[in-house]
């Protein structure tokens, strides 16, 4: 036995020296990259035409295949296969075109690594680089709203709220990620966080619908939006462009990348501004810069570093009343509200492939954010009063943390084990004080024509706290195939969100923690021929944001409490079934999901008579709906896309008031406010054969009506609008035009009212017909 082992070991040592003498094959080397983004493509299969030999590209898209043949077949999931005539010994630079019918086949957000759609028992949509590029969006909502079942509500100047398996809300029920790293720490959610994104350096987006807390933790309840940034390009590239509209919006943007040996770099940025728009007091400035560096320490080890800087300064006109809205008088009732944000994000990721079945990564990250504002939504005014009150606040945090994950694949039941841990340390400070306002009333005395500041009152503090947040988590997920084509996935995550605080208002100090374990169980079944089914059950939770805990109540509770120390996390249980199918020879792609999610302790904002808000947790809620996605490409000239949802969001048990004198004490069975039952977005694109590199498309966005308050006494009818886009490229020069709100429809993206008889509706008006013109130059080397 020892002699056999000795001979075997000696043979292995001699093999590298004797193998060249036994073959005259010359290696075929090269790199494979995406035809649109020019990013290198890992996992591409290059094999001989007779199928005898083959190899897969590494993480840098590089391959080396020993062959004597002159024909190879190149294929990858999500891309069109190619058969090529080659000359072994000559380097090959090959670009692959995405396959339209497979746009959602490869995903990375499901478990923080590249995986197949057929193995992910979740509802997930991918917004491809081609879709993003052709949209030529001025604001990111124009792209995200193409996701089936998703509505990113445009609140002006890139400000927004969100609706994913939830009503339109500013609550912390959505997780925003950049390359898998949360943009904000848990507990410091801000619904406007996406205005800090550099959209020109985003390569693709993935949107997960429903709870994914078992991998990503709290706040990933309604869903998660992952922005996947541009990697260094396999060949030298550069692009620079400008775009503007007739309302004073202008933007300059640039990006460039290259790979030199083991080192790759990509840099990009944008500078935008708006002046004298259709909406009074809506001027803003934004500058955003991004850098990504990649270094291949070896064929198995990679180092990636990113740096992002964003500076945003905007006037905030606020909403308008019904008189101004229906008269299309887009005036502002103040001349002093604003929002200023500055953010820095950086990360360093080390990835290592131990072997073909074992990978590890660790990401260290840092953040620094400051937000200062005099918000229009904080103005408190009672009908008929000649005075009002507002506030000036600041919210700052710094973060240090890491995410570590190991993946191990086994031959046993074709299984895979994922284990991970996260740590996020984020000191947070918040300060707010009152400003006194004079209110100039309209003739009817029921609305305000103009607010003016009469005095700043820093001695009247509305919030003043410091909290040291320390979030820790550990998670595990195991996937396996007990039967052919049947794959099970089970996951569990433990979260501990804790903070030590000092409240400057009541001079209290202390600590608080929220501990939660969230499981997930899912199953997928591959029906074959690009068809499959899935089902899952998952739990999610969202702890209250620190601002909701420490914001001083306008009225004390019965026990005298002025703060919300006893707010509990919102808990959710989600069950869904779905499936996907590719039909008509891969020309038609369908993806559907039916879900039911129940919630407890959902945090709601209850508008008070003075226009302030009180926080209150709903007892139980129900969210149920169906989501449908369809893409159809009958020929190279036409592409049709449809995505939408039919859903209901209801109160199951919610005590609105415990006062016997109130007409309505509970709203059990009523619709939640700001919850459209139908949302869909559809688009038809045309690429004529008779004019190469020309494109045009027509998009239809539908949002059905919704109730404006918890008592369902008043509703808004919703809206339909059309958007048209056209573009043409010639020798790297691209001209494009977007016509948004083609029919010049009068509509509001948000319309709300309180539950009191004296309350009035406030509208967030949307832009009238807008013409966006742009010019961009794209350079690509060889």
């Amino acid at each position: 036995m020892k002699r056999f082992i000795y001979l075997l070991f000696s043979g292995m040592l001699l093999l590298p020296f004797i193998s060249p003498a036994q073959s005259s094959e010359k290696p075929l080397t090269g790199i494979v990259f995406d035809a649109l983004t020019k990013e290198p493509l890992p996992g591409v299969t290059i094999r001989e035409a007779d199928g005898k030999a083959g190899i897969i590209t590494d993480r840098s898209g590089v391959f080396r295949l020993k062959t004597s043949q002159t024909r190879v077949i190149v294929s990858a999931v999500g891309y069109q296969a190619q058969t090529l005539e080659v000359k072994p010994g000559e380097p090959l630079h090959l670009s692959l075109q995405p396959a339209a019918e497979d746009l959602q086949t490869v995903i990375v957000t499901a478990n923080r690594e590249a995986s197949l759609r057929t193995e992910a028992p979740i509802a997930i949509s991918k917004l491809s680089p081609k879709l993003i590029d052709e949209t030529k969006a001025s604001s990111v909502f124009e792209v995200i709203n193409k996701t089936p079942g998703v509505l990113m509500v445009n609140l002006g100047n890139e400000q927004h709220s969100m609706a994913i398996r939830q009503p339109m809300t500013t609550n912390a029920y959505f997780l925003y990620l950049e390359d898998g790293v949360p943009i904000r720490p848990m507990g410091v959610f801000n619904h406007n966080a996406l205005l800090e994104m550099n959209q020109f350096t985003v390569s693709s987006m993935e949107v997960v619908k429903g709870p994914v807390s078992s991998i990503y933790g709290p706040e990933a309840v309604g869903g998660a939006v992952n922005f996947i940034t541009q990697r260094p390009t396999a060949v030298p590239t550069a692009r620079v462009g400008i775009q503007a509209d007739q309302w004073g919006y202008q933007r300059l943007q640039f990006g460039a990348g290259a790979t030199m040996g083991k080192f790759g770099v990509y840099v990009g940025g944008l500078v935008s501004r708006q002046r004298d728009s259709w909406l009074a007091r809506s001027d803003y400035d934004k500058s955003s810069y991004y850098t990504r560096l990649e270094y291949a320490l070896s064929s198995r080890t990679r180092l990636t570093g990113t740096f992002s800087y964003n500076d945003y300064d905007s006037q905030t006109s606020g909403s308008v009343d019904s008189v101004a809205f229906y008269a299309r008088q887009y005036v502002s009732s103040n001349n002093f509200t604003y929002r200023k944000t500055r953010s820095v994000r950086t990360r360093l990721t080390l990835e290592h492939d131990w072997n073909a079945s074992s990978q590890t990564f660790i990401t260290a990250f840092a953040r620094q954010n400051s937000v200062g504002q005099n918000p229009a939504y904080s103005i408190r005014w009672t009908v008929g009063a000649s005075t009002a009150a507002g506030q000036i606040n600041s919210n700052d945090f710094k973060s240090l943390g890491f995410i570590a994950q190991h993946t191990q694949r086994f031959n046993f039941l074709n299984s895979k084990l994922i284990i991970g841990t996260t740590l996020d340390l984020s000191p947070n400070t918040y300060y707010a004080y009152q400003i006194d306002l004079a209110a100039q009333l309209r003739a009817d005395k029921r609305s305000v024509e103009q607010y003016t500041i009469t005095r700043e009152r820093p001695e009247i503090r509305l919030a003043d706290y410091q909290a040291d947040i320390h979030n820790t988590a550990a998670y595990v997920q195991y996937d396996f195939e007990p039967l052919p084509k049947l794959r099970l996935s089970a996951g569990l995550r433990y979260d501990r969100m804790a903070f030590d605080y000092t409240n400057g208002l009541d001079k209290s100090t202390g600590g608080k923690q929220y501990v939660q374990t969230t499981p997930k169980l899912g199953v997928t079944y591959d029906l074959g021929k690009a068809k499959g089914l899935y089902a899952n059950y998952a739990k999610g939770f969202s702890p209250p944001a620190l601002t909701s805990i420490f914001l001083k109540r306008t009225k004390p509770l019965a026990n005298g409490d002025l703060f919300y120390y006893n707010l509990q996390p919102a808990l959710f249980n989600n069950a869904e079934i779905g499936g996907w199918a590719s039909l008509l020879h891969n020309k038609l792609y369908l993806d559907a999901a039916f879900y039911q999610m129940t919630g407890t302790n959902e945090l709601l904002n209850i508008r008070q008579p003075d226009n302030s808000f009180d926080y209150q947790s709903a007892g139980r809620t129900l969210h149920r709906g169906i989501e449908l996605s369809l893409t159809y490409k009958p020929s190279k000239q036409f592409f049709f896309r449809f995505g939408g949802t039919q859903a209901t969001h209801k109160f199951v048990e919610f005590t609105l008031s415990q006062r016997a004198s109130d007409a309505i004490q509970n709203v059990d069975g009523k619709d939640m406010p700001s919850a459209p039952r139908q949302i869909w977005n559809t688009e038809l694109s045309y690429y004529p054969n008779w004019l190469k590199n020309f494109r045009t498309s027509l998009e239809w966005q539908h949002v059905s009506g919704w109730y404006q308050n918890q008592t369902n006494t008043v509703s808004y009818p919703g809206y339909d609008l059309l958007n048209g886009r056209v573009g043409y490229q010639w020798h790297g020069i691209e001209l494009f035009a977007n016509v948004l709100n083609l029919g010049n429809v009068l509509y509001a993206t948000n319309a709300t009212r309180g539950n009191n008889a004296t309350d009035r509706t406030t509208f967030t008006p949307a832009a009238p017909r807008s013409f966006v013109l742009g010019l961009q130059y794209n350079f690509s080397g060889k």
Side-chain angles (χ1 to χ4, degrees), residues 80-296:
Q80 298 175 11
Q82 295 187 29
T83 300
L84 302 173
E85 299 291 336
V86 296
K87 293 181 179 180
E90 294 185 3
L92 181 66
H93 284 65
L94 176 63
S95 62
L96 292 185
Q97 293 286 346
E101 67 275 7
D102 290 331
L103 288 177
Q104 303 185 74
T105 302
V106 180
I107 55 176
V108 297
T109 308
N111 48 33
R112 296 188 191 271
E113 65 173 15
S115 60
L116 297 177
R117 173 68 180 92
T118 55
E119 297 179 356
I122 57 175
I124 185 169
S125 297
K126 182 173 182 178
L127 303 173
S128 69
K130 179 180 176 64
L131 183 146
I132 294 173
D133 179 64
E134 292 185 355
T135 300
K136 292 291 189 294
S138 298
S139 186
V140 71
F141 78 89
E142 298 173 39
V143 178
I144 290 182
N145 284 348
K146 297 176 185 289
T147 309
V150 175
L151 180 65
M152 181 176 174
V153 183
N154 175 26
L155 300 180
N157 292 8
E158 301 188 40
Q159 300 166 106
H160 60 89
S161 61
M162 189 67 75
I164 308 176
R165 295 193 178 180
Q166 285 280 326
M168 299 181 290
T169 181
T170 59
N171 285 345
Y173 294 157
F174 315 106
L175 184 62
Y176 302 134
L177 306 133
E178 185 178 47
D179 294 323
V181 179
I183 295 175
R184 294 284 183 95
M186 177 172 56
V188 195
F189 175 82
N190 189 295
H191 64 96
N192 281 314
L194 296 188
L195 61 80
E196 299 167 10
M197 286 299 303
N198 184 343
Q199 67 189 66
F200 196 64
T201 56
V202 173
S203 176
S204 62
M205 304 177 195
E206 292 183 357
V207 182
V208 181
K209 289 158 283 186
V212 283
S213 295
S214 62
I215 286 288
Y216 291 101
E219 298 179 353
V221 174
V225 182
N226 190 13
F227 294 84
I228 301 167
T229 59
Q230 174 76 47
R231 292 186 60 195
T233 51
V235 295
T237 62
R239 54 181 181 153
V240 60
I242 57 173
Q243 61 189 76
D245 67 19
Q246 83 272 33
W247 305 117
Y249 176 80
Q250 301 171 338
R251 189 169 84 193
L252 171 67
Q253 52 209 11
F254 67 92
T259 298
M260 298 153 284
K262 295 183 177 182
F263 180 75
V265 60
Y266 190 87
V267 296
L270 61 86
V271 178
S272 60
R273 59 174 286 173
Q274 183 167 279
R275 294 293 184 273
D276 302 323
S277 180
W278 59 274
L279 180 64
R281 281 198 54 79
S282 60
D283 293 356
Y284 84 100
D285 294 273
K286 177 180 177 178
S287 56
S288 187
Y289 307 99
Y290 165 85
T291 300
R292 177 167 177 151
L293 305 175
E294 294 185 5
Y295 184 71

Side-chain angles (χ1 to χ4, degrees), residues 25 46-55 65-67 69 72:
E25 295 178 346
I46 297 96
R47 59 182 175 86
E48 295 177 342
D50 60 9
K52 291 183 178 180
I55 199 169
L65 174 66
K66 289 186 177 181
T67 180
Q69 297 191 16
V72 296

Side-chain angles (χ1 to χ4, degrees), residues 57-69:
T57 59
D58 63 16
R59 295 294 182 94
S60 300
V62 175
F63 69 91
R64 180 184 178 89
L65 174 66
K66 289 186 177 181
T67 180
S68 59
Q69 297 191 16

Side-chain angles (χ1 to χ4, degrees), residues 17 101 388-389 462 540 565 645:
F17 299 97
E101 67 275 7
L462 306 177
Y565 290 132
T645 182

Side-chain angles (χ1 to χ4, degrees), residues 40 59-60 231-232 258-266 292-306 348-352:
R59 295 294 182 94
S60 300
R231 292 186 60 195
T259 298
M260 298 153 284
K262 295 183 177 182
F263 180 75
V265 60
Y266 190 87
R292 177 167 177 151
L293 305 175
E294 294 185 5
Y295 184 71
L297 297 171
S298 70
S299 60
R300 292 186 174 184
T301 308
R302 300 160 300 281
L303 192 64
T304 301
T306 64
L348 187 64
T349 299
L350 179 65
E351 299 174 274
H352 181 69

